[in-house]
């Protein structure tokens, strides 16, 4: 029941540091708890690879932030 900000999860499908399943479990737990969250799988990306800084991903981040700023 704790108040938390919306959570955007980005996870590379080839991440060798954090198991992909961990992000799935986090996303599902947040949804079950009624929290605002979004989850994106970055195909072929490792942990924090350059794909995270690509224009399409930055657009996702910007859209997520803008959507939730309007709610405050």
């Amino acid at each position: 029941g704790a108040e938390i900000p919306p959570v955007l999860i980005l996870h590379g499908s080839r991440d060798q540091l954090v198991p992909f399943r961990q992000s799935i479990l986090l996303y599902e737990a947040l949804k079950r708890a009624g929290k605002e969250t979004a989850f994106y799988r970055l195909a072929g990306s490792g942990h924090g690879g350059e794909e995270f800084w690509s224009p399409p991903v930055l657009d996702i981040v910007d859209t997520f932030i803008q959507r939730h700023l309007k709610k405050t």
Side-chain angles (χ1 to χ4, degrees):
E3 291 287 325
I4 65 168
V7 177
L8 174 60
I9 302 167
L10 302 168
H11 200 124
S13 66
R14 301 186 83 192
D15 189 330
Q16 295 183 349
L17 185 61
V18 177
F20 188 78
R21 181 78 180 131
Q22 293 298 311
S23 285
I24 294 171
L25 293 172
L26 173 61
Y27 174 77
E28 290 172 346
L30 289 166
K31 292 301 273 184
R32 275 193 311 275
K35 306 303 180 185
E36 292 201 45
T37 185
F39 176 62
Y40 291 87
R41 174 184 170 265
L42 301 182
S45 181
H47 187 82
E50 65 185 52
E51 298 86 358
F52 283 81
W53 302 101
S54 68
V57 174
L58 293 176
D59 286 344
I60 290 168
V61 173
D62 183 55
T63 299
F64 185 84
I65 291 170
Q66 294 303 320
R67 181 180 328 126
H68 295 289
L69 282 178
K70 292 177 183 175
K71 293 181 178 181
T72 60

